[in-house]
């Protein structure tokens, strides 16, 4: 993958038209945030073959050997308020799912709020970071990590929980094709989002545990209930045994 190769035949207006490429970098999200501070254009793509400090949420790490994955961040300046950012996370998951399905035919499901699953195993994740001044949203960095061509059963801490496209398909796939499709879906969805499109119903329809019982670990305590869906604000809706519904804004589904 090269910046020229990524742009060639991409056909987007802005998504991925500016490419910042690294063989190795700490974290593409960190670079994208620096690019925001320098006023880089909307849709700037920061992509790396390898990250030495790949980030997950809440201080967790993202693991990927060099050249095996898609590891990238998109810099966006959406016309949204901070509370609406979960829409962009859901939209990103949907664009990713559509791109994966169109290239591989594999069914993609989600685990709220940001996991991309194939046959119940984590194949990718989304990490969104924002820049704010007071109430104003200055920028959003959307980071995406996708396991494409590598065997995760080799990693003891992920074995049985994670998977890749090559593991599921039994053959390697073209990362460039997947990336370009994802950028196209992402641009289309992003433009619709700016016009007021709400992605939560489609996102809900792809939840792996929809209608099932789930336990969610909250910042304080935990909640248990049947997964009813995700609302427009991106909160997970759980129906408790007593029939009441609780909205979970932050938590980990176990
Ligand atoms: C995520 O976090 O799932 C968001 C991951 C985002 C990574 C991208 S790569 C490009 C961009 N630049 C960055 O620095 N980050 C973004 P979270 O939900 O917190 O999940 C992290 C957890 O997933 C870890 O604690 C591991 O248990 C597990 N994990 C780590 N690497 C994995 C992998 N390659 N595949 C599946 N699971 C993994």
């Amino acid at each position: 993958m090269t910046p020229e190769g990524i742009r060639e035949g991409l056909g987007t207006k802005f998504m991925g038209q500016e490419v910042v490429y690294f063989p190795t970098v700490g974290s593409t999200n960190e670079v994208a945030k620096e690019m925001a501070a320098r006023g880089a254009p909307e849709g700037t793509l920061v992509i790396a073959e390898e990250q030495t400090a790949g980030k997950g949420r809440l201080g967790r790490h993202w693991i990927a050997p060099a050249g095996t994955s898609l590891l990238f961040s998109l810099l966006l300046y959406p016309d949204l308020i901070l509370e609406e950012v979960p829409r962009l996370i859901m939209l990103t998951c949907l664009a990713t799912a559509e791109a994966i399905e169109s290239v591989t035919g594999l069914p993609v499901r989600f685990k709220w709020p940001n996991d991309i699953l194939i046959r119940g195993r984590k194949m990718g994740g989304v990490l969104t970071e924002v820049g704010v001044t007071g109430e104003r949203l200055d920028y959003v960095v959307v980071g995406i990590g996708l396991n494409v061509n590598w065997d995760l059963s080799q990693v003891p801490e992920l074995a049985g929980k994670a998977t890749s496209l090559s593991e599921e398909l039994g053959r390697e796939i073209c990362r460039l094709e997947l990336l370009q499709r994802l950028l196209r879906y992402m641009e289309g969805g992003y433009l619709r989002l700016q016009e007021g499109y709400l992605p939560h119903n489609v996102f809900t329809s792809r939840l792996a545990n929809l209608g099932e019982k789930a336990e969610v670990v909250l910042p304080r305590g935990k909640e248990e209930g049947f997964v009813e869906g995700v609302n427009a604000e991106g909160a997970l809706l759980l129906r408790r045994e007593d029939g009441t519904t609780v909205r979970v804004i932050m938590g980990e589904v176990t």
Side-chain angles (χ1 to χ4, degrees), residues 27-28 51 55-57 60-61 63 114 122 125 144 147:
S27 155
T28 58
Q51 296 183 121
K55 300 197 299 179
R57 293 177 307 138
R60 292 187 288 237
H61 300 290
I63 307 164
N114 69 325
K122 183 159 173 170
I144 306 178
N147 303 323

Side-chain angles (χ1 to χ4, degrees), residues 75-86:
L75 173 60
L76 300 168
Y77 302 101
D79 190 11
L80 298 174
I81 58 169
L82 188 57
E83 290 71 27
E84 293 168 341
V85 170

Side-chain angles (χ1 to χ4, degrees), residues 38 49 57 62 77 96 148 159 165 183 188 213-214 221 248:
R38 283 191 258 144
E49 292 290 352
R57 293 177 307 138
W62 190 254
Y77 302 101
T96 304
V148 185
L165 295 180
L183 293 170
K213 201 165 187 177
V248 180

Side-chain angles (χ1 to χ4, degrees), residues 26-30 51 53-58 60-64 69-73 114-115 122-127 129 142-147 150 152 157-158 161-163 252:
S27 155
T28 58
N29 265 37
E30 290 303 319
Q51 296 183 121
K55 300 197 299 179
R57 293 177 307 138
L58 311 166
R60 292 187 288 237
H61 300 290
W62 190 254
I63 307 164
S69 302
L70 280 175
L71 306 167
F72 64 96
S73 305
N114 69 325
D115 285 1
K122 183 159 173 170
M123 176 265 153
V126 175
L127 172 67
E129 296 186 77
V142 177
I144 306 178
L146 301 176
N147 303 323
W150 69 293
L152 283 95
E157 84 177 79
L158 299 178
K161 289 191 281 186
T163 193
E252 279 308 307

